[in-house]
Amino acid sequence: MNETYPFSLEPLPYDYDALEPVISAETLQFHHDKHLATYVEKLNKALEPYKELHSMTLEQLLTEPLTVPDSVKTEIKNNGGGVYNHQLYFRCMKPAEDSTPPTGPLKTMIDTAFGSFDTFVRDLTNAALTQFGSGYGWLVEHDGMLEIKKMPNQDVPLGKNITPLLPVDVWEHAYYLQYQNRRMDYVNNWFCLINWDYVEQLLENTKGAVK
């Protein structure tokens, strides 16, 4: 995510109805065109007066707090996090008929970290379901190992030696139009939409990154 100010609304990598029946076209359109668009708009508005921040990428804005004035830190954390998390969430999905289980090094790392793919699914599901209120369940790479985390609101698990790989969005706007209060049904169904090729690409990118 190397874009700098002014940030743009990144188009979905698929049609609105591509994730049906797991995620309805109405839910996806509302989520992307309203919620993500609002985060982008608010982030740009917050950054506009701070020309010294205009050359920073979204990741730099979220991970280099000493360069960000105190007066705008909260807005960047909330709205910048909303942009980062949503872009990754949408990129990490694909139509169910095109989604295939992870293979190769990623599958090996999942088995090493969690014992099996089924255990990974159980642990990420538990993180998503036990995140109180709004937030995300996360698969991250940390010091060469895979870990599960849960984060509130639009917090991002970015930092020294840690890379976000896969988020499951459990804000109500991600599922409520379709599932109402049935977060468990949404999360259980969501696993068939994962774009494991993209997750593997993110993991591969960490090998050449200086941390």
Side-chain angles (χ1 to χ4, degrees):
M1 298 186 187
N2 295 319
E3 188 181 15
T4 58
Y5 175 89
F7 293 93
S8 59
L9 177 61
E10 181 176 279
L12 288 170
Y14 31 73
D15 294 332
Y16 291 123
D17 62 355
L19 306 184
E20 290 187 335
V22 177
I23 299 177
S24 68
E26 181 186 23
T27 296
L28 192 58
Q29 185 171 11
F30 190 74
H31 196 172
H32 177 271
D33 294 5
K34 301 299 183 183
H35 286 278
L36 175 53
T38 298
Y39 283 119
V40 172
E41 180 182 355
K42 288 185 174 180
L43 176 61
N44 285 331
K45 184 177 180 179
L47 290 172
E48 184 178 3
Y50 298 91
K51 296 189 183 302
E52 69 275 21
L53 304 179
H54 289 183
S55 62
M56 296 179 68
T57 66
L58 186 55
E59 188 166 320
Q60 288 173 327
L61 288 168
L62 293 168
T63 59
E64 299 179 16
L66 295 181
T67 65
V68 175
D70 290 341
S71 55
V72 76
K73 279 183 180 179
T74 298
E75 291 177 278
I76 288 176
K77 178 183 177 183
N78 292 338
N79 295 300
V83 174
Y84 186 99
N85 291 341
H86 279 97
Q87 286 184 348
L88 190 56
Y89 171 72
F90 292 132
R91 291 179 187 180
C92 282
M93 295 188 293
K94 62 173 21 179
E97 60 269 23
D98 298 330
S99 178
T100 55
T103 58
L106 177 57
K107 174 65 163 56
T108 299
M109 290 185 70
I110 288 174
D111 290 342
T112 299
F114 306 106
S116 69
F117 183 76
D118 288 344
T119 303
F120 153 73
V121 171
R122 183 199 67 192
D123 291 353
L124 184 53
T125 299
N126 183 64
L129 296 181
T130 58
Q131 170 52 47
F132 181 77
S134 301
Y136 296 77
W138 283 95
L139 175 68
V140 304
E141 181 270 337
H142 185 194
D143 282 334
M145 293 290 292
L146 299 183
E147 295 180 0
I148 299 293
K149 291 184 176 292
K150 55 184 178 181
M151 305 286 284
N153 302 315
Q154 295 297 353
D155 290 3
V156 185
L158 271 170
K160 184 176 176 58
N161 298 329
I162 184 168
T163 302
L165 297 176
L166 176 67
V168 50
D169 188 342
V170 291
W171 281 69
E172 285 189 343
H173 62 242
Y175 62 89
Y176 202 85
L177 286 176
Q178 189 173 355
Y179 293 90
Q180 288 79 50
N181 65 331
R182 303 189 307 275
R183 181 188 286 192
M184 180 180 291
D185 290 349
Y186 155 69
V187 173
N188 287 340
N189 292 338
W190 170 84
F191 278 92
C192 74
L193 299 176
I194 297 174
N195 184 347
W196 285 110
D197 292 335
Y198 184 69
V199 176
E200 188 165 9
Q201 177 186 326
L202 292 176
L203 183 62
E204 184 66 27
N205 291 345
T206 69
K207 296 178 181 179
V210 177
K211 296 188 177 184

